[in-house]
Amino acid sequence: MVEISSIEKTFESRKKKVKAVDGVSFKAQPGRIYGLLGPNGAGKTTTLRIIATLLKPDSGKAQVMGFDSVKDATQVRKRIGFLTSDMKLSGNLTPRELLQFFGELNHMQNGDIKKAIREMAEYLDMGEFLDKQVGKLSSGMKQKAAMAVSLIHNPEVIIFDEPTNGLDILTARTVTEFLKDYRRQGKTIIISTHIMAVAEKLCDNVGIIFKGRLVENDSLEGLYGKFNEDNLEDLFFKVAEREGVMENA
Amino acid sequence: MLRDVLIIFRKELKNVFKDGRTIFAVLILPMLIMPIIFLVINTVSTSQAKSFEETVYEVNLVNLPDERFEGILGGLIKYRAVQNTDKEAVLSRDNYLIVEFPADSDQRIARGEGLDAKVYFNSTSRGSSYGAQMIRNALSNYSSLLLADRLAQHGLTLADLNMVSVQQEDVAPEESRGTEFLAVLIPYFLLIYIFSGAMNIGLDTTAGEKERGSMPVLLVNQVSRTSIAMGKILYVMMIAVLNSVFTFIGLMIAFRLGGPAFGAGEMNFSSLSPSTLAGLFVTLLTMAGLAASIIVLLGSLARNIKEGGGYILPIYIFAVVLGVATMQMESPDNPLLYIIPLINSIFVMKDIITLQFVSWRFLLMLLSNLTYVSVLIFALAKVFNSEKIMDSSGS
């Protein structure tokens, strides 16, 4: 379970001050996928990074399974798997070596790491390329390796920033199937996306975020009912129009 | 904590040593480049000198006062006397030179007066310059001959003009003689290679990690960020040390192959005993630690590799300038200089190589470098524990 209460985050530079997250609150439940929807620059990544202990909120709280993301950062990290589609696996190590490395980073015992590698390789069908250099793998193989890396320690909470961004249709399918399967295992999953089709296919609960503010937060069905719509894209544009975002687009 | 530092260190090292190109660039190339440069320059200069020696010059001796000059010149170069007085030909032919004596040189010699000889040569041609130099040498010998003739008329010899005879006694210990050339070049090259070896690797493991988007995933783990920072410094330091050690080996091979051709004279390698090498290695370690800390810190502050390169380049240029500026300097006694980073290491290395080891200088260098490294590690840990480490943008 992940609970976010009234988090705020402002980035300051010499030139300007930008409020990236403005009082965002939501809950993500085990066995469900929570989707944070919004255009680029809406504050999705910042919110996810606060949950993942990478950023500290200026105010408000992010709790992962009861642990505070600032005060109990180490406990939170133990329980989350964080992945971003920005991550480009490269270099000369093999997926097996990377998994070993990330297992060690998570202070797993060597025997447990070996077992987890075997299971992960079987689960994600990585056997064929487990010992090939990641720099030489296809994008689909790299994506599988990246997912395995962030999940080697079997976290209870999975945070995935733009999971299908920039992926080809086959790789995107692998990712969505993988997320559905992890939901079936009872994991708490939070994703961010600006692709409505992905959210529609995957998410049980949806939060719509514009300019750092969470303007809608409900189950997918709840939102369809509230806006009298049967597809997320139209619903999203209705909300955007209501919030005055369309005028500035 | 050490265990976590080593996890990062091992992974980075494994990654780099699985790449043949990196192994070549970090280990093999530094060892080969200097011997190759020295060998090529040596071969070219030797073959050029041989070619000059074998060139048959055509020399127009205008108003030659004395046939003895021809004999002297013949002892220095191969030449053929010609009558061509065309000065333009000096420009168009590398082996053509003119020596012009005054028209009344016979009478002037008879009167005991001096001669003005003019040598026409082309300074843009190495062959012509070599021939002209030999002619100048011949003229100098000829001048001595004429002087000896005149002195003989007064019952004197050239040796009688030498009122003070000089005898030199080198009191430097035998084992430290001939180490000056090594003391000039080794600190310079080690400094340069420490920075050049660490630069790309240091940028790749920091700003490169941000650019590839792998930094957040690395940070969301059980290992403390300070350990990640220290692991990266240790890795960059190791590469810088390896790069320098292999450069050192390459330099030693190069000096043996072609040092004397560079005016190094007789070089004394016996000063590089195990204790000297150990002293050099310790100095190298602290210098590499300093360079690695600076590079990793600046790389971590950069949003991408390009920006990081912009931060580090001025430091690299500063190191090169420092290396060049101190090349010909001897180690001074001023203690302040031994607390200035990089300069202190250069002077201590010079001390060690010339076997003039001074313990207080070494200790001051060691302590100050360790202090700087500690401060830089502290600053880097701050950066890794701050949100600054997340700043990134594509190149």
Side-chain angles (χ1 to χ4, degrees):
Chain A
M1 155 94 130
V2 175
E3 194 170 353
I4 313 298
S5 333
S6 312
I7 53 169
E8 293 191 2
K9 181 74 185 173
T10 301
F11 292 113
E12 277 182 66
S13 69
R14 268 172 289 180
K15 289 178 192 162
K16 56 182 179 178
K17 211 171 178 181
V18 179
K19 194 154 200 174
V21 179
D22 188 2
V24 169
S25 302
F26 65 84
K27 275 182 193 173
Q29 307 283 356
R32 293 179 79 82
I33 298 178
Y34 186 94
L36 211 47
L37 267 61
N40 289 340
K44 305 184 297 288
T45 299
T46 304
T47 305
L48 295 192
R49 286 185 172 187
I50 288 172
I51 302 168
T53 75
L54 290 165
L55 297 174
K56 286 176 187 158
D58 298 332
S59 63
K61 240 182 198 182
Q63 284 188 312
V64 174
M65 301 180 78
F67 293 103
D68 188 280
S69 69
V70 177
K71 290 178 198 152
D72 309 308
T74 310
Q75 292 299 326
V76 171
R77 285 178 201 148
K78 209 179 266 185
R79 287 159 179 82
I80 61 168
F82 179 79
L83 189 58
T84 158
S85 61
D86 287 345
M87 183 162 102
K88 309 278 181 290
L89 282 184
S90 63
N92 308 305
L93 297 184
T94 63
R96 186 191 298 279
E97 288 164 335
L98 276 176
L99 289 169
Q100 175 76 31
F101 169 62
F102 277 91
E104 288 173 10
L105 282 186
N106 280 292
H107 291 167
M108 291 167 70
Q109 295 299 315
N110 205 32
D112 294 340
I113 297 173
K114 300 269 183 269
K115 188 169 168 252
I117 292 173
R118 268 198 312 274
E119 287 171 0
M120 200 58 83
E122 198 182 319
Y123 175 65
L124 286 168
D125 197 17
M126 291 169 63
E128 186 197 331
F129 58 88
L130 197 59
D131 294 305
K132 286 186 181 166
Q133 289 188 356
V134 284
K136 293 175 182 166
L137 301 181
S138 69
S139 59
M141 291 169 176
K142 280 183 187 176
Q143 190 60 34
K144 282 183 180 180
M147 286 190 296
V149 153
S150 60
L151 302 170
I152 185 75
H153 57 301
N154 193 22
E156 283 306 308
V157 176
I158 295 162
I159 300 166
F160 212 152
D161 190 11
E162 299 281 4
T164 58
N165 202 17
L167 299 181
D168 64 64
I169 190 163
L170 291 174
T171 314
R173 174 82 174 189
T174 309
V175 174
T176 52
E177 289 306 310
F178 154 82
L179 287 172
K180 280 180 190 171
D181 197 42
Y182 262 62
R183 171 172 58 192
R184 276 194 291 275
Q185 292 177 29
K187 309 277 185 188
T188 306
I189 301 168
I190 305 173
I191 65 165
S192 74
T193 186
H194 62 275
I195 305 168
M196 298 304 135
V198 170
E200 207 155 36
K201 220 181 280 176
L202 278 177
C203 299
D204 305 297
N205 290 66
V206 165
I208 299 178
I209 189 167
F210 285 120
K211 295 177 182 171
R213 286 188 312 111
L214 195 70
V215 292
E216 290 297 336
N217 178 30
D218 205 340
S219 66
L220 199 55
E221 295 76 26
L223 284 174
Y224 284 154
K226 183 177 172 184
F227 287 89
N228 199 24
E229 288 288 348
D230 58 3
N231 78 78
L232 195 53
E233 191 167 310
D234 290 343
L235 189 156
F236 184 83
F237 282 117
K238 256 187 184 172
V239 178
E241 214 163 280
R242 187 192 73 197
E243 295 297 317
V245 180
M246 296 299 283
E247 293 151 27
N248 302 326
Chain B
M1 185 173 179
L2 181 66
R3 182 176 159 261
D4 293 345
V5 171
L6 290 177
I7 291 172
I8 302 289
F9 171 71
R10 268 203 317 268
K11 176 256 177 182
E12 298 284 12
L13 216 56
K14 201 175 203 178
N15 186 37
V16 87
F17 282 114
K18 283 188 84 175
D19 181 18
R21 281 170 303 183
T22 312
I23 293 173
F24 181 76
V26 173
L27 306 181
I28 299 170
L29 194 63
M31 201 162 62
L32 290 181
I33 195 134
M34 284 300 157
I36 289 172
I37 290 173
F38 271 56
L39 204 62
V40 168
I41 295 176
N42 205 6
T43 308
V44 168
S45 64
T46 309
S47 75
Q48 208 163 38
K50 202 175 169 192
S51 129
F52 294 152
E53 281 166 18
E54 283 171 2
T55 300
V56 178
Y57 285 90
E58 291 182 359
V59 184
N60 181 10
L61 299 163
V62 182
N63 301 323
L64 181 69
D66 191 337
E67 283 175 0
R68 286 181 298 173
F69 178 74
E70 289 180 292
I72 295 170
L73 187 59
L76 296 174
I77 51 170
K78 290 178 185 166
Y79 86 99
R80 187 161 61 85
V82 293
Q83 294 301 316
N84 184 2
T85 53
D86 179 13
K87 286 180 184 131
E88 290 300 313
V90 176
L91 203 60
S92 58
R93 286 159 55 198
D94 291 347
N95 67 335
Y96 179 65
L97 298 154
I98 301 172
V99 186
E100 189 179 309
F101 292 95
D104 60 343
S105 49
D106 297 6
Q107 293 94 316
R108 288 173 77 164
I109 289 172
R111 288 199 301 271
E113 291 173 12
L115 297 178
D116 300 316
K118 258 187 191 170
V119 181
Y120 293 88
F121 76 109
N122 175 9
S123 65
T124 59
S125 153
R126 292 202 63 189
S128 181
S129 296
Y130 175 81
Q133 179 59 47
M134 291 302 112
I135 289 173
R136 279 193 294 276
N137 293 348
L139 284 169
S140 170
N141 294 349
Y142 180 56
S143 169
S144 299
L145 197 65
L146 293 179
L147 188 62
D149 287 349
R150 287 189 61 191
L151 288 170
Q153 288 168 13
H154 300 282
L156 296 168
T157 65
L158 279 175
D160 294 324
L161 294 182
N162 199 8
M163 300 302 286
V164 179
S165 81
V166 180
Q167 282 185 334
Q168 293 193 96
E169 184 80 33
D170 187 357
V171 296
E174 200 170 328
E175 61 274 19
S176 70
R177 287 181 207 161
T179 55
E180 309 81 26
F181 189 72
L182 299 178
V184 165
L185 286 188
I186 290 175
Y188 170 74
F189 278 112
L190 291 184
L191 176 69
I192 300 304
Y193 272 84
I194 273 183
F195 272 93
S196 61
M199 229 161 73
N200 290 338
I201 298 276
L203 274 176
D204 185 70
T205 192
T206 50
E209 195 103 63
K210 288 185 184 185
E211 214 171 276
R212 291 188 293 274
S214 47
M215 190 62 95
V217 181
L218 183 66
L219 296 175
V220 184
N221 281 296
Q222 296 304 296
V223 169
S224 76
R225 294 182 179 189
T226 307
S227 301
I228 296 174
M230 286 181 70
K232 285 183 182 286
I233 287 182
L234 195 64
Y235 153 66
V236 176
M237 182 180 154
M238 171 64 97
I239 297 294
V241 167
L242 284 175
N243 196 254
S244 308
V245 167
F246 280 86
T247 301
F248 180 81
I249 295 169
L251 270 176
M252 291 302 104
I253 298 169
F255 289 160
R256 283 189 187 276
L257 284 177
F262 290 83
E266 282 304 307
M267 275 183 288
N268 180 3
F269 293 97
S270 62
S271 68
L272 301 173
S273 62
S275 61
T276 308
L277 291 175
L280 275 179
F281 188 69
V282 172
T283 312
L284 192 71
L285 277 182
T286 65
M287 199 157 72
L290 195 60
S293 310
I294 294 170
I295 289 167
V296 174
L297 177 63
L298 293 178
S300 303
L301 290 170
R303 285 173 300 173
N304 53 50
I305 290 181
K306 197 174 161 188
E307 190 179 300
Y311 291 164
I312 293 168
L313 194 63
I315 306 280
Y316 179 64
I317 292 170
F318 175 70
V320 172
V321 170
L322 210 63
V324 173
T326 52
M327 252 181 167
Q328 299 296 338
M329 285 171 74
E330 284 190 356
S331 306
D333 262 330
N334 186 348
L336 278 178
L337 290 170
Y338 295 89
I339 57 173
I340 300 176
L342 304 181
I343 287 183
N344 55 4
S345 308
I346 291 174
F347 286 137
V348 167
M349 278 195 274
K350 282 175 185 274
D351 282 351
I352 292 171
I353 294 166
T354 55
L355 299 179
Q356 290 169 24
F357 180 82
V358 182
S359 51
W360 69 261
R361 291 179 184 171
F362 182 78
L363 283 174
L364 208 53
M365 177 279 299
L366 204 63
L367 286 174
S368 51
N369 280 2
L370 288 177
T371 308
Y372 298 133
V373 171
S374 308
V375 170
L376 287 165
I377 289 175
F378 179 76
L380 185 66
K382 281 252 176 212
V383 172
F384 263 79
N385 282 295
S386 77
E387 291 174 3
K388 185 86 188 154
I389 197 67
M390 297 297 297
D391 282 357
S392 67
S393 70
S395 57

